[in-house]
Amino acid sequence: MSKDVLVVKDLNMHYETLAGNVSAVKNVSFSVKEGESFGLVGESGCGKTSVAMSLLQLQADNAKISSGSISLDGIEMVGMSESELRKVRWDGISIVFQGAMNAWNPVVKVGEQIREAIREHYPNNTKNENTEKIESLFKMVDLDSSIMDRFPHELSGGMKQRAVIALALSCDPKVVIADEPTTALDVVIQDQILKEIKKVQELLGLSLIYISHDIAVIAEMTDQMAVMYAGSIVEIGPTDQVFSNPKHAYTRLLLESTPSVVGEKKKLRSLEGEPPSLIGEENGCSFSPRCPDPSDKCKSGNSEMGLIEVADGHFADKCCVECG
Amino acid sequence: MAEYIIRRTFQMTIVFFLFLIFSYLLFNAIPGNAFSNLLLNPNLPPDAYQRVLEIYGLDKPLLERTQMYIVNFFKGDFGYSYKYFPKTPIELISERLPRTLMLFSIVNIVAFYTGFFIGKVLAWRRGSKAETWITVTSVFSYTVFYPWFALMMLWVFGYKLGWLPIGKFLYPEKWYDAPFDSDVVFTSMIKFTVVISLIQFAAYLASRGIESLSLRRNIRFGSLITIFAGSYFYWNNGDALIQKPYASDIAFHMILPVMVVTVVAFAGTALLTRTTMMEVLKEDYILTARAKGISQKRIRDRHAARTALLPVVTSFIFTIVTIIDGSVLTEQIFSWPGMGQLLLQSVLEEDIPVAMATFSFVGVFALIAHLLADVSYSYLDPRIRIKSQG
């Protein structure tokens, strides 16, 4: 049994806005084991990216982590000073951002931008060592080493995304977060990039956190997964179990709204309504207004929240498990 | 790139040609001429005025004179000054140019650096109290009526406090037994400034390729020390030692104009830098840089300010033109006998050859500055580099 690299416990994060506090991340707990890939799925605005940003503590200025703990290899990251955090960033946790197009500084050469990250974390490396390192990274993601001397605008979208993956791996991080890395790419390139990530992850034994709104990609990429709704995790467990035996109504709806290539033809279902506003306190189940079949207790707002274990390592929201 | 520069040079020649014709015609459109006042002198015989006009060729028709002037201009003959007769415009300009160059190159460099630095710090500290106050002050100094402000500063520092000299660019009594002209001192001051900037620039270039950031910093710091030691050595030996008291006299007279123009000129750069940099700070690659664990200062200077520099450099190159035309206002207010004063005087006195020569000097400089802006832009922004080749 491999050990946990990243443990997140009861993480709460909110944005302070003029309209009030927006709780973007509510009591999120999960852990990622060494060499394991963990998926985070949910619709837009459910707090996936907020979780990713909290892990690196790169949240916007008006965002506050109010409670909870993030520990990387047993080292607590919440409450770290800026200079300590700088050491952990990229070296401990690195990230592949959504939209590789804008992740590169347009006036600095690609190689130089990777070199800069390595230089920050390994200040004693010589120039040649760093060049070799970048070459080997490029080889790993199937890029030519001449790309080092190119400017970002000279690369295609797919090449940029590969280079971003190389950048994310440049300091041998323990955990890599992939935040919708294929958003801006066409389907063919998306597939290539996904394979690239999978290959690299297996090759290096990385712990990967894969964030996506596409549940099919999560199925393909991950060992463990969590479904997020309105800032909280509503279901978490081994990916195959969650898929074969979804316990939460929201997970079921997500699955039923995705077309399947194999198997019998089923009518796709769509999810009515909008995600709830995250401003202020709320009582009871946040999914009940959109739930196709809520119990009376759930509708009245008196249902108990919290995850309960439904199978070995598979947890789901208590309210929904009791409902249906 | 070479093809682009050649094409631009060709275009610039045509523009300059038109510029020459139009300015010559416009100067001649001023009523009267440089010798009109001779007519008011009752002691001169009536034909004397006519004789003077014939000597200077002013009796010929305007079109013929224009044609003659243009032809002579391209032969390198700019004529003689009407007012300072045996002197040519070139002699007058070469006497005035170093004074203007010295004052305004220092003003521009100081104003640009403080402006850029303050601008990027303002954008970085967006929302703080200091940011608000400095921005308000910058807007004030950007919009203040400049001649009034300059006169107020003269009044405060020159008259009320008496710390700094009013008017003149040197104390004539100090120069009474000076073994050389003030131009000699100006020239060696300019040379000195150019050499130290080149040394610093070379140190910057040399240290760029070094991988270790601390070594890089040390080299740049070392070059600064070298410059300080070198300047001390330079001004205490040989020719420079004799020039030193005179040079310091000029430097003393430069303090107030440099200060006043800087206060007015830095604000434009600062506000422009602040705006462009705030745009850049919203970009995703700033977030990437932060995620990489790079220090705040390096993100500010290397990632944000580097991209924000583009429009700022363009505006800076256009203001460089004022180094030569010497901001007529400034030189008038501070009695600084440079190009700006020469220009104003020659126009007022209808000394057309001098006015034309000064004007075309400024014109050539402006054209070159625009070309320089385009070329430097394509070097600063690689995305443009490709387009100009394609």
CSV table of all heavy atoms in Angstrom, one decimal, chain A residues 53 58 82 86 89-90 97 102-107 112-113 115-117 119-121 127 130 151 153 167, chain B residues 209 211 213 216 284-285 287-288 290-296 298 302-303 306-307 380-383 386:
chain,number,residue,atom,x,y,z
A,53,MET,N,-6.3,26.0,-6.8
A,53,MET,CA,-5.6,27.2,-6.4
A,53,MET,C,-5.3,27.2,-4.9
A,53,MET,O,-4.2,27.7,-4.5
A,53,MET,CB,-6.4,28.5,-6.8
A,53,MET,CG,-6.5,28.7,-8.3
A,53,MET,SD,-4.8,28.9,-8.9
A,53,MET,CE,-5.1,28.7,-10.6
A,58,LEU,N,-2.5,30.0,-4.4
A,58,LEU,CA,-2.3,31.0,-5.4
A,58,LEU,C,-3.7,31.7,-5.7
A,58,LEU,O,-3.9,32.3,-6.7
A,58,LEU,CB,-1.9,30.4,-6.8
A,58,LEU,CG,-0.4,30.1,-7.0
A,58,LEU,CD1,-0.2,29.4,-8.3
A,58,LEU,CD2,0.4,31.4,-6.9
A,82,GLU,N,5.2,33.2,2.7
A,82,GLU,CA,5.3,33.4,1.2
A,82,GLU,C,6.6,32.7,0.7
A,82,GLU,O,6.6,32.0,-0.3
A,82,GLU,CB,5.3,34.8,0.8
A,82,GLU,CG,5.3,35.1,-0.7
A,82,GLU,CD,4.1,34.6,-1.4
A,82,GLU,OE1,3.1,34.5,-0.9
A,82,GLU,OE2,4.3,34.3,-2.7
A,86,ARG,N,7.0,29.5,-1.8
A,86,ARG,CA,7.7,29.6,-3.0
A,86,ARG,C,8.5,28.4,-3.3
A,86,ARG,O,8.7,27.9,-4.4
A,86,ARG,CB,8.6,30.8,-3.1
A,86,ARG,CG,7.9,32.1,-3.6
A,86,ARG,CD,8.7,33.3,-3.6
A,86,ARG,NE,10.1,33.0,-4.1
A,86,ARG,CZ,11.2,33.6,-3.8
A,86,ARG,NH1,11.1,34.6,-3.0
A,86,ARG,NH2,12.3,33.3,-4.3
A,89,ARG,N,6.0,25.5,-4.2
A,89,ARG,CA,5.4,25.6,-5.5
A,89,ARG,C,6.4,25.0,-6.5
A,89,ARG,O,7.6,25.3,-6.5
A,89,ARG,CB,5.1,27.1,-5.8
A,89,ARG,CG,3.9,27.6,-5.0
A,89,ARG,CD,3.7,29.0,-5.3
A,89,ARG,NE,2.7,29.5,-4.4
A,89,ARG,CZ,2.6,30.8,-4.0
A,89,ARG,NH1,3.5,31.7,-4.5
A,89,ARG,NH2,1.7,31.2,-3.2
A,90,TRP,N,5.9,24.3,-7.5
A,90,TRP,CA,6.6,23.7,-8.6
A,90,TRP,C,7.5,22.6,-8.1
A,90,TRP,O,7.6,21.6,-8.8
A,90,TRP,CB,7.4,24.8,-9.3
A,90,TRP,CG,7.2,24.6,-10.8
A,90,TRP,CD1,8.1,24.2,-11.7
A,90,TRP,CD2,6.0,24.9,-11.5
A,90,TRP,NE1,7.5,24.1,-13.0
A,90,TRP,CE2,6.2,24.6,-12.9
A,90,TRP,CE3,4.7,25.4,-11.1
A,90,TRP,CZ2,5.3,24.7,-13.9
A,90,TRP,CZ3,3.8,25.5,-12.1
A,90,TRP,CH2,4.0,25.2,-13.4
A,97,PHE,N,-2.0,24.6,-16.3
A,97,PHE,CA,-3.2,25.5,-16.2
A,97,PHE,C,-4.1,25.2,-17.4
A,97,PHE,O,-3.8,24.7,-18.4
A,97,PHE,CB,-2.8,27.0,-16.3
A,97,PHE,CG,-2.2,27.5,-15.0
A,97,PHE,CD1,-0.9,27.7,-14.8
A,97,PHE,CD2,-3.1,27.7,-13.9
A,97,PHE,CE1,-0.4,28.1,-13.7
A,97,PHE,CE2,-2.6,28.2,-12.7
A,97,PHE,CZ,-1.2,28.4,-12.6
A,102,ASN,N,-2.3,31.0,-22.9
A,102,ASN,CA,-1.9,32.2,-22.2
A,102,ASN,C,-1.0,32.0,-21.0
A,102,ASN,O,-0.7,32.8,-20.3
A,102,ASN,CB,-3.2,32.9,-21.7
A,102,ASN,CG,-4.2,33.1,-22.8
A,102,ASN,OD1,-3.8,33.5,-23.9
A,102,ASN,ND2,-5.5,32.9,-22.5
A,103,ALA,N,-0.6,30.7,-20.9
A,103,ALA,CA,0.3,30.4,-19.8
A,103,ALA,C,1.8,30.8,-20.1
A,103,ALA,O,2.6,30.8,-19.1
A,103,ALA,CB,0.3,28.9,-19.5
A,104,TRP,N,2.1,31.1,-21.3
A,104,TRP,CA,3.4,31.5,-21.6
A,104,TRP,C,3.6,33.0,-21.8
A,104,TRP,O,2.7,33.7,-22.4
A,104,TRP,CB,3.9,30.9,-23.0
A,104,TRP,CG,3.9,29.4,-22.9
A,104,TRP,CD1,3.0,28.5,-23.5
A,104,TRP,CD2,5.0,28.6,-22.3
A,104,TRP,NE1,3.4,27.3,-23.2
A,104,TRP,CE2,4.6,27.3,-22.5
A,104,TRP,CE3,6.2,28.9,-21.6
A,104,TRP,CZ2,5.4,26.2,-22.1
A,104,TRP,CZ3,6.9,27.8,-21.2
A,104,TRP,CH2,6.5,26.5,-21.4
A,105,ASN,N,4.6,33.5,-21.2
A,105,ASN,CA,4.9,35.0,-21.4
A,105,ASN,C,5.3,35.2,-22.9
A,105,ASN,O,6.3,34.5,-23.4
A,105,ASN,CB,6.1,35.4,-20.5
A,105,ASN,CG,6.3,36.8,-20.5
A,105,ASN,OD1,6.0,37.5,-21.5
A,105,ASN,ND2,6.9,37.3,-19.5
A,106,PRO,N,4.6,36.0,-23.6
A,106,PRO,CA,4.8,36.1,-25.1
A,106,PRO,C,6.2,36.7,-25.5
A,106,PRO,O,6.6,36.5,-26.6
A,106,PRO,CB,3.7,37.1,-25.5
A,106,PRO,CG,3.3,37.8,-24.3
A,106,PRO,CD,3.5,36.9,-23.2
A,107,VAL,N,6.9,37.3,-24.6
A,107,VAL,CA,8.1,37.9,-25.0
A,107,VAL,C,9.4,37.2,-24.5
A,107,VAL,O,10.5,37.7,-24.7
A,107,VAL,CB,8.2,39.4,-24.7
A,107,VAL,CG1,7.1,40.2,-25.3
A,107,VAL,CG2,8.2,39.6,-23.2
A,112,GLU,N,13.7,29.5,-22.0
A,112,GLU,CA,14.1,30.4,-20.9
A,112,GLU,C,13.1,30.3,-19.8
A,112,GLU,O,13.4,30.4,-18.6
A,112,GLU,CB,14.3,31.8,-21.5
A,112,GLU,CG,14.6,32.9,-20.5
A,112,GLU,CD,15.9,32.6,-19.7
A,112,GLU,OE1,16.8,32.0,-20.3
A,112,GLU,OE2,15.9,33.1,-18.6
A,113,GLN,N,11.8,30.2,-20.2
A,113,GLN,CA,10.8,30.2,-19.2
A,113,GLN,C,10.8,28.9,-18.3
A,113,GLN,O,10.5,28.9,-17.1
A,113,GLN,CB,9.4,30.3,-19.8
A,113,GLN,CG,9.2,31.7,-20.4
A,113,GLN,CD,7.8,32.0,-20.8
A,113,GLN,OE1,6.9,31.8,-20.1
A,113,GLN,NE2,7.7,32.5,-22.1
A,115,ARG,N,13.7,27.2,-18.0
A,115,ARG,CA,15.0,27.3,-17.3
A,115,ARG,C,14.8,28.1,-16.0
A,115,ARG,O,15.4,27.8,-15.0
A,115,ARG,CB,15.9,28.0,-18.2
A,115,ARG,CG,17.4,28.0,-17.9
A,115,ARG,CD,18.1,28.8,-18.9
A,115,ARG,NE,18.2,28.2,-20.2
A,115,ARG,CZ,19.1,27.3,-20.6
A,115,ARG,NH1,20.0,26.9,-19.7
A,115,ARG,NH2,19.0,26.7,-21.8
A,116,GLU,N,14.0,29.1,-16.1
A,116,GLU,CA,13.8,30.0,-15.0
A,116,GLU,C,13.2,29.3,-13.8
A,116,GLU,O,13.6,29.5,-12.6
A,116,GLU,CB,12.8,31.1,-15.4
A,116,GLU,CG,12.5,32.2,-14.4
A,116,GLU,CD,11.5,33.2,-15.0
A,116,GLU,OE1,10.5,32.7,-15.5
A,116,GLU,OE2,11.7,34.4,-14.9
A,117,ALA,N,12.3,28.3,-14.0
A,117,ALA,CA,11.7,27.6,-12.9
A,117,ALA,C,12.8,26.7,-12.3
A,117,ALA,O,12.9,26.6,-11.1
A,117,ALA,CB,10.5,26.7,-13.5
A,119,ARG,N,16.0,27.1,-12.4
A,119,ARG,CA,17.0,27.9,-11.8
A,119,ARG,C,16.6,28.3,-10.4
A,119,ARG,O,17.4,28.4,-9.4
A,119,ARG,CB,17.2,29.1,-12.6
A,119,ARG,CG,18.4,29.9,-12.3
A,119,ARG,CD,18.8,30.8,-13.5
A,119,ARG,NE,17.7,31.6,-14.0
A,119,ARG,CZ,17.6,32.0,-15.2
A,119,ARG,NH1,18.6,31.7,-16.1
A,119,ARG,NH2,16.6,32.7,-15.6
A,120,GLU,N,15.3,28.6,-10.2
A,120,GLU,CA,14.7,29.0,-9.0
A,120,GLU,C,14.9,27.9,-7.9
A,120,GLU,O,15.2,28.2,-6.7
A,120,GLU,CB,13.3,29.4,-9.1
A,120,GLU,CG,12.6,30.1,-8.0
A,120,GLU,CD,13.3,31.5,-7.8
A,120,GLU,OE1,13.6,32.2,-8.8
A,120,GLU,OE2,13.5,31.9,-6.6
A,121,HIS,N,14.7,26.7,-8.3
A,121,HIS,CA,14.6,25.6,-7.3
A,121,HIS,C,15.9,24.8,-7.2
A,121,HIS,O,16.2,24.2,-6.2
A,121,HIS,CB,13.5,24.6,-7.6
A,121,HIS,CG,12.1,25.3,-7.5
A,121,HIS,ND1,11.6,25.6,-6.2
A,121,HIS,CD2,11.3,25.8,-8.4
A,121,HIS,CE1,10.4,26.2,-6.4
A,121,HIS,NE2,10.2,26.4,-7.7
A,127,LYS,N,24.6,25.8,-16.6
A,127,LYS,CA,23.8,26.1,-17.7
A,127,LYS,C,23.5,24.8,-18.5
A,127,LYS,O,22.4,24.5,-19.0
A,127,LYS,CB,24.5,27.1,-18.6
A,127,LYS,CG,23.5,27.8,-19.6
A,127,LYS,CD,24.2,29.0,-20.1
A,127,LYS,CE,23.2,29.7,-21.0
A,127,LYS,NZ,23.6,31.0,-21.5
A,130,ASN,N,21.1,22.3,-17.0
A,130,ASN,CA,19.7,22.8,-17.2
A,130,ASN,C,19.2,22.5,-18.6
A,130,ASN,O,18.1,22.1,-18.9
A,130,ASN,CB,19.5,24.3,-16.9
A,130,ASN,CG,19.6,24.5,-15.4
A,130,ASN,OD1,19.6,23.6,-14.6
A,130,ASN,ND2,19.7,25.8,-15.0
A,151,PHE,N,9.8,31.4,-29.6
A,151,PHE,CA,8.9,32.2,-28.8
A,151,PHE,C,7.5,31.5,-28.8
A,151,PHE,O,7.1,30.8,-29.7
A,151,PHE,CB,8.7,33.6,-29.3
A,151,PHE,CG,9.9,34.4,-29.1
A,151,PHE,CD1,10.9,34.6,-30.0
A,151,PHE,CD2,10.1,35.0,-27.8
A,151,PHE,CE1,12.0,35.4,-29.8
A,151,PHE,CE2,11.2,35.7,-27.6
A,151,PHE,CZ,12.2,35.9,-28.5
A,153,HIS,N,4.5,32.3,-29.5
A,153,HIS,CA,3.6,32.5,-30.6
A,153,HIS,C,4.0,31.7,-31.8
A,153,HIS,O,3.2,31.6,-32.7
A,153,HIS,CB,3.5,33.9,-30.9
A,153,HIS,CG,4.7,34.5,-31.6
A,153,HIS,ND1,5.8,35.0,-30.8
A,153,HIS,CD2,5.1,34.6,-32.8
A,153,HIS,CE1,6.7,35.4,-31.6
A,153,HIS,NE2,6.4,35.2,-32.8
A,167,LEU,N,7.0,21.9,-18.8
A,167,LEU,CA,7.3,22.9,-17.7
A,167,LEU,C,6.9,22.5,-16.4
A,167,LEU,O,7.6,22.6,-15.4
A,167,LEU,CB,6.5,24.2,-18.1
A,167,LEU,CG,6.6,25.4,-17.1
A,167,LEU,CD1,8.0,25.9,-17.0
A,167,LEU,CD2,5.7,26.5,-17.6
B,209,GLY,N,23.8,36.1,-19.9
B,209,GLY,CA,23.9,34.7,-20.2
B,209,GLY,C,24.2,33.8,-18.9
B,209,GLY,O,24.3,32.6,-19.0
B,211,GLU,N,23.9,31.8,-15.6
B,211,GLU,CA,22.8,31.0,-15.1
B,211,GLU,C,22.5,31.4,-13.6
B,211,GLU,O,21.3,31.5,-13.2
B,211,GLU,CB,23.2,29.5,-15.2
B,211,GLU,CG,22.0,28.6,-15.2
B,211,GLU,CD,21.1,28.7,-16.4
B,211,GLU,OE1,21.5,29.4,-17.4
B,211,GLU,OE2,20.1,28.1,-16.5
B,213,LEU,N,21.7,33.5,-10.6
B,213,LEU,CA,21.2,34.8,-10.4
B,213,LEU,C,22.0,35.7,-9.5
B,213,LEU,O,22.1,36.9,-9.7
B,213,LEU,CB,19.7,34.7,-9.9
B,213,LEU,CG,18.7,34.2,-10.9
B,213,LEU,CD1,17.3,34.2,-10.2
B,213,LEU,CD2,18.6,35.1,-12.1
B,216,ARG,N,25.0,37.0,-11.3
B,216,ARG,CA,24.5,38.1,-12.2
B,216,ARG,C,24.4,39.4,-11.4
B,216,ARG,O,24.9,40.4,-11.9
B,216,ARG,CB,23.1,37.7,-12.6
B,216,ARG,CG,22.9,37.6,-14.1
B,216,ARG,CD,21.5,37.4,-14.4
B,216,ARG,NE,21.3,36.2,-15.2
B,216,ARG,CZ,20.2,35.9,-15.8
B,216,ARG,NH1,19.2,36.7,-15.8
B,216,ARG,NH2,20.1,34.8,-16.5
B,284,ASP,N,-2.6,35.4,-17.7
B,284,ASP,CA,-2.4,34.1,-17.1
B,284,ASP,C,-0.9,33.8,-16.8
B,284,ASP,O,-0.6,33.1,-15.9
B,284,ASP,CB,-2.9,33.0,-18.0
B,284,ASP,CG,-4.4,33.0,-17.9
B,284,ASP,OD1,-5.0,33.6,-17.0
B,284,ASP,OD2,-5.1,32.3,-18.8
B,285,TYR,N,0.0,34.4,-17.6
B,285,TYR,CA,1.4,33.9,-17.4
B,285,TYR,C,2.0,34.5,-16.2
B,285,TYR,O,3.0,34.0,-15.7
B,285,TYR,CB,2.2,34.2,-18.7
B,285,TYR,CG,2.3,35.7,-19.1
B,285,TYR,CD1,3.1,36.6,-18.5
B,285,TYR,CD2,1.5,36.0,-20.2
B,285,TYR,CE1,3.1,37.9,-19.0
B,285,TYR,CE2,1.5,37.3,-20.7
B,285,TYR,CZ,2.3,38.3,-20.1
B,285,TYR,OH,2.3,39.5,-20.5
B,287,LEU,N,0.3,34.4,-13.4
B,287,LEU,CA,-0.1,33.3,-12.5
B,287,LEU,C,0.9,32.1,-12.6
B,287,LEU,O,1.3,31.5,-11.6
B,287,LEU,CB,-1.5,32.9,-12.8
B,287,LEU,CG,-2.2,32.0,-11.8
B,287,LEU,CD1,-2.3,32.7,-10.4
B,287,LEU,CD2,-3.5,31.5,-12.3
B,288,THR,N,1.2,31.8,-13.9
B,288,THR,CA,2.2,30.7,-14.1
B,288,THR,C,3.5,31.0,-13.4
B,288,THR,O,4.1,30.2,-12.7
B,288,THR,CB,2.5,30.5,-15.6
B,288,THR,OG1,1.2,30.5,-16.3
B,288,THR,CG2,3.2,29.3,-15.9
B,290,ARG,N,4.0,32.9,-10.8
B,290,ARG,CA,3.9,32.8,-9.4
B,290,ARG,C,3.8,31.3,-9.0
B,290,ARG,O,4.4,30.9,-8.0
B,290,ARG,CB,2.6,33.5,-8.9
B,290,ARG,CG,2.7,35.0,-8.8
B,290,ARG,CD,1.3,35.6,-8.4
B,290,ARG,NE,1.0,35.1,-7.0
B,290,ARG,CZ,-0.3,35.2,-6.6
B,290,ARG,NH1,-1.3,35.6,-7.4
B,290,ARG,NH2,-0.6,34.8,-5.4
B,291,ALA,N,3.2,30.5,-9.8
B,291,ALA,CA,3.1,29.1,-9.5
B,291,ALA,C,4.5,28.4,-9.5
B,291,ALA,O,4.7,27.5,-8.8
B,291,ALA,CB,2.1,28.4,-10.4
B,292,LYS,N,5.3,29.0,-10.4
B,292,LYS,CA,6.7,28.4,-10.5
B,292,LYS,C,7.5,28.7,-9.3
B,292,LYS,O,8.6,28.2,-9.1
B,292,LYS,CB,7.4,29.0,-11.7
B,292,LYS,CG,6.9,28.4,-13.0
B,292,LYS,CD,7.8,28.6,-14.2
B,292,LYS,CE,7.7,30.1,-14.7
B,292,LYS,NZ,8.4,30.2,-16.0
B,293,GLY,N,7.0,29.6,-8.4
B,293,GLY,CA,7.8,29.9,-7.2
B,293,GLY,C,8.8,31.0,-7.3
B,293,GLY,O,9.7,31.1,-6.6
B,294,ILE,N,8.6,31.8,-8.4
B,294,ILE,CA,9.6,32.8,-8.6
B,294,ILE,C,9.3,34.0,-7.7
B,294,ILE,O,8.2,34.3,-7.4
B,294,ILE,CB,9.5,33.3,-10.1
B,294,ILE,CG1,10.0,32.1,-11.0
B,294,ILE,CG2,10.2,34.5,-10.4
B,294,ILE,CD1,9.7,32.2,-12.4
B,295,SER,N,10.4,34.7,-7.3
B,295,SER,CA,10.2,35.8,-6.3
B,295,SER,C,9.4,36.9,-6.9
B,295,SER,O,9.3,37.1,-8.1
B,295,SER,CB,11.6,36.3,-5.9
B,295,SER,OG,12.1,37.0,-7.0
B,296,GLN,N,8.7,37.6,-6.0
B,296,GLN,CA,7.8,38.7,-6.4
B,296,GLN,C,8.5,39.7,-7.2
B,296,GLN,O,8.0,40.2,-8.2
B,296,GLN,CB,7.2,39.3,-5.2
B,296,GLN,CG,6.4,38.4,-4.3
B,296,GLN,CD,5.0,38.2,-4.9
B,296,GLN,OE1,4.4,39.0,-5.5
B,296,GLN,NE2,4.5,37.0,-4.7
B,298,ARG,N,11.1,39.5,-9.1
B,298,ARG,CA,11.5,39.0,-10.4
B,298,ARG,C,10.2,38.9,-11.3
B,298,ARG,O,10.3,39.2,-12.5
B,298,ARG,CB,12.1,37.6,-10.3
B,298,ARG,CG,13.0,37.4,-11.5
B,298,ARG,CD,13.9,36.1,-11.3
B,298,ARG,NE,14.1,35.5,-12.6
B,298,ARG,CZ,14.9,36.0,-13.5
B,298,ARG,NH1,15.6,37.1,-13.2
B,298,ARG,NH2,15.1,35.5,-14.7
B,302,ARG,N,10.7,41.1,-14.4
B,302,ARG,CA,11.1,40.3,-15.5
B,302,ARG,C,9.9,40.0,-16.4
B,302,ARG,O,9.9,40.0,-17.6
B,302,ARG,CB,11.8,39.0,-15.0
B,302,ARG,CG,12.1,38.0,-16.1
B,302,ARG,CD,13.4,38.3,-16.7
B,302,ARG,NE,13.7,37.3,-17.7
B,302,ARG,CZ,14.2,37.6,-18.9
B,302,ARG,NH1,14.6,38.8,-19.2
B,302,ARG,NH2,14.4,36.6,-19.8
B,303,HIS,N,8.8,39.7,-15.7
B,303,HIS,CA,7.6,39.2,-16.5
B,303,HIS,C,6.6,40.4,-16.8
B,303,HIS,O,6.2,40.6,-17.9
B,303,HIS,CB,6.9,38.1,-15.7
B,303,HIS,CG,7.6,36.8,-15.8
B,303,HIS,ND1,7.5,35.9,-16.9
B,303,HIS,CD2,8.5,36.2,-15.0
B,303,HIS,CE1,8.3,34.9,-16.7
B,303,HIS,NE2,8.9,35.0,-15.6
B,306,ARG,N,8.5,43.8,-18.2
B,306,ARG,CA,9.1,43.6,-19.5
B,306,ARG,C,8.1,43.7,-20.6
B,306,ARG,O,8.4,44.3,-21.6
B,306,ARG,CB,9.8,42.2,-19.5
B,306,ARG,CG,10.3,41.7,-20.8
B,306,ARG,CD,11.5,42.4,-21.3
B,306,ARG,NE,12.0,41.8,-22.5
B,306,ARG,CZ,11.5,41.9,-23.7
B,306,ARG,NH1,10.4,42.6,-23.8
B,306,ARG,NH2,12.0,41.3,-24.7
B,307,THR,N,6.9,43.2,-20.4
B,307,THR,CA,5.9,43.2,-21.4
B,307,THR,C,5.2,44.6,-21.4
B,307,THR,O,4.9,45.1,-22.5
B,307,THR,CB,4.8,42.2,-21.2
B,307,THR,OG1,5.4,41.0,-20.6
B,307,THR,CG2,4.1,41.8,-22.4
B,380,LEU,N,11.8,44.4,-29.2
B,380,LEU,CA,11.2,44.1,-27.8
B,380,LEU,C,10.1,43.1,-27.9
B,380,LEU,O,9.8,42.4,-26.9
B,380,LEU,CB,10.7,45.5,-27.2
B,380,LEU,CG,11.8,46.4,-26.7
B,380,LEU,CD1,11.3,47.7,-26.3
B,380,LEU,CD2,12.5,45.7,-25.5
B,381,ASP,N,9.3,43.1,-28.9
B,381,ASP,CA,8.2,42.2,-29.0
B,381,ASP,C,8.4,41.3,-30.2
B,381,ASP,O,8.2,41.6,-31.3
B,381,ASP,CB,6.9,43.1,-29.2
B,381,ASP,CG,5.7,42.2,-29.1
B,381,ASP,OD1,5.8,41.0,-29.1
B,381,ASP,OD2,4.6,42.7,-28.9
B,382,PRO,N,8.7,40.0,-29.8
B,382,PRO,CA,9.0,39.1,-30.9
B,382,PRO,C,7.9,38.8,-31.8
B,382,PRO,O,8.0,38.3,-32.9
B,382,PRO,CB,9.4,37.8,-30.1
B,382,PRO,CG,8.9,38.0,-28.7
B,382,PRO,CD,8.9,39.5,-28.5
B,383,ARG,N,6.6,39.0,-31.3
B,383,ARG,CA,5.5,38.8,-32.2
B,383,ARG,C,5.5,39.7,-33.4
B,383,ARG,O,5.0,39.3,-34.5
B,383,ARG,CB,4.2,38.9,-31.4
B,383,ARG,CG,4.0,37.8,-30.4
B,383,ARG,CD,2.9,38.2,-29.4
B,383,ARG,NE,3.3,39.3,-28.6
B,383,ARG,CZ,2.6,39.8,-27.6
B,383,ARG,NH1,1.4,39.2,-27.3
B,383,ARG,NH2,3.0,40.8,-26.8
B,386,ILE,N,8.3,38.8,-36.5
B,386,ILE,CA,7.9,37.9,-37.5
B,386,ILE,C,7.2,38.6,-38.6
B,386,ILE,O,7.4,38.5,-39.8
B,386,ILE,CB,7.1,36.7,-37.0
B,386,ILE,CG1,8.0,35.8,-36.1
B,386,ILE,CG2,6.5,35.9,-38.1
B,386,ILE,CD1,9.2,35.3,-36.8
